[in-house]
Amino acid sequence: MNLKELAGLLGLSQTTVSRALNGYPEVSEATRTRVQRLAQAHNYSPNARAKGLATGRAHAIGHVIPISGSHEMVNPVFGDFISGVGEVYAREGYDLMMSVVPSDDELPAYRDMRARSSVDGVVLHAPMMDEPRIALMRELGLPFIVHGRASNEAKPYAWLDVNNKSAFLRASDFLLDLGHHRIALINGDESKDFAHRRREGYLEALAARGLTPEPALMRSSEMTEVFGYQSARDMLAGANPPSAFLAASMITAIGIRRAIEDAGLRMGRDISVVTFDDDLSYLKNGSDVPIFTACRSSVRSAGVQLAEMLLRQIADPSAPPETRLLEVELIAGRSTGPARV
């Protein structure tokens, strides 16, 4: 059924029907309800291009995914986040436009989206401490929100982030309270803001106990199982190995566990491990009793909240930038125990 046929059934003009379906305020609530019910009964949905012309909006949100030698963006955490934002987009009648480009073409991709008016707003992923994309968004006049924060950005902008520093401060304190003094940090890529904040939390906890951090017990890179395994294997083979590990990801922690077992040790008895758990839908941290002691925060829920914040900004561009800081929950699992003498 097309717009003309639907208008004929309702005895209304095509303009009135279109305005009712697109939420124009001059249409009465009674008329809007009648139009929506009949449209639903006949499985009618407005043509996307026509709707865009009528409202001046693309009804799409842009996500640019840079591809390089690293696969940092393409991982299970990103998949759960996309599920969260996608749920909101679908509910509110927006499409998700994902553009996969070489790393060097990321900034031009945003310019292209703006030039073609193909999106109403964008989500910026994995911000660095000095984040050039924020200035670009202001230049382009595109509504945007950052999944994370950029420490060195002074002007206000919309963001949603986990309190990464607090999370790793609490996790480090948990291990220190168990008597662990040689705690290794297996962190994410510290050019990214989230990993920098996690390192700060770890260092602050050590300093508060009068402990000097050891560079040999700190590594940072892409959060893969292999990176976790190789880092833990090397440290455990050293002359003065750590008694505990603090991992930036469940994926990394699985590699650390493999290295512990290969060394003939048992996780939770001989070596303790605390990790960050994004509460992934297809990589659960055990069932009744968690496998890993973890700082837990659902990345899918973060996606839902972030998408709602961005759509509110698009609906009211004059509103001040919205920000939200999510706290984590520290969950005790089977991977930690008192330090052994």
Side-chain angles (χ1 to χ4, degrees):
M1 175 172 286
N2 59 37
L3 180 63
K4 182 178 179 180
E5 291 168 339
L6 181 64
L9 285 175
L10 289 160
L12 298 170
S13 71
Q14 293 182 51
T15 301
T16 299
V17 173
S18 176
R19 288 177 177 273
L21 292 171
N22 289 313
Y24 280 75
E26 59 265 31
V27 179
S28 72
E29 193 59 39
T31 299
R32 190 189 328 279
T33 301
R34 186 162 71 93
V35 171
Q36 289 173 343
R37 284 177 179 172
L38 193 64
Q40 186 176 13
H42 289 272
N43 295 318
Y44 172 82
S45 59
N47 177 280
R49 292 192 66 184
K51 187 175 181 180
L53 290 171
T55 62
R57 291 182 182 169
H59 289 274
I61 303 298
H63 295 252
V64 177
I65 311 304
I67 296 296
S68 64
S70 167
H71 296 83
E72 182 71 36
M73 285 296 301
V74 185
N75 57 38
V77 177
F78 181 72
D80 260 33
F81 178 80
I82 288 296
S83 294
V85 297
E87 173 189 324
V88 177
Y89 299 160
R91 185 184 73 212
E92 301 298 331
Y94 279 77
D95 292 328
L96 189 159
M97 178 179 286
M98 191 175 295
S99 182
V100 180
V101 300
S103 293
D104 292 343
D105 293 339
E106 183 178 2
L107 298 185
Y110 292 113
R111 293 186 181 278
D112 183 61
M113 285 179 171
R114 180 56 172 164
R116 293 187 292 111
S117 299
S118 57
V119 299
D120 297 318
V122 297
V123 175
L124 303 183
H125 299 275
M128 296 182 290
M129 294 180 67
D130 292 297
E131 182 48 68
R133 292 173 296 175
I134 293 177
L136 176 63
M137 293 305 106
R138 293 194 180 107
E139 175 193 331
L140 297 176
L142 262 176
F144 72 96
I145 188 167
V146 181
H147 183 205
R149 280 177 288 173
S151 294
N152 296 336
E153 177 60 46
K155 297 179 181 178
Y157 61 97
W159 55 263
L160 178 142
D161 196 13
V162 171
N163 195 340
N164 288 293
K165 180 179 179 180
S166 172
F168 270 46
L169 175 61
R170 289 174 62 193
S172 300
D173 278 338
F174 181 86
L175 290 169
L176 290 163
D177 288 343
L178 288 172
H180 297 281
H181 293 145
R182 294 187 58 75
I183 303 169
L185 173 66
I186 312 298
N187 203 4
D189 178 0
E190 290 178 359
S191 70
K192 301 292 192 299
D193 195 87
F194 81 92
H196 174 78
R197 291 177 186 274
R198 290 178 182 183
R199 180 187 178 98
E200 281 188 332
Y202 163 81
L203 293 175
E204 186 173 310
L206 294 183
R209 307 290 179 108
L211 299 174
T212 302
E214 297 184 41
L217 295 184
M218 292 181 282
R219 291 197 181 182
S220 69
S221 186
E222 185 180 348
M223 297 180 293
T224 65
E225 192 272 350
V226 172
F227 168 61
Y229 172 76
Q230 292 175 343
S231 298
R233 178 199 62 192
D234 295 347
M235 291 179 183
L236 290 172
N240 193 7
S243 65
F245 288 89
L246 180 54
S249 165
M250 276 276 291
I251 301 167
T252 309
I254 291 170
I256 294 171
R257 180 183 185 178
R258 180 161 68 96
I260 291 169
E261 292 173 351
D262 280 2
L265 303 170
R266 181 176 166 186
M267 184 177 73
R269 183 193 67 187
D270 304 306
I271 305 289
S272 290
V273 179
V274 178
T275 186
F276 193 93
D277 177 15
D278 288 285
D279 195 19
L280 302 176
S281 58
Y282 39 84
L283 189 61
K284 288 294 185 184
N285 185 13
S287 52
D288 296 335
V289 179
I291 298 169
F292 291 99
T293 297
C295 301
R296 179 178 293 173
S297 180
S298 169
V299 70
R300 192 182 194 284
S301 174
V304 169
Q305 295 177 63
L306 179 141
E308 291 172 341
M309 292 166 67
L310 178 57
L311 294 187
R312 283 196 292 271
Q313 182 186 156
I314 291 169
D316 184 7
S318 64
E322 202 174 337
T323 63
R324 185 168 301 170
L325 184 62
L326 306 176
E327 296 294 341
V328 303
E329 183 180 12
L330 185 61
I331 305 293
R334 299 195 296 271
S335 67
T336 49
R340 301 186 74 185
V341 178

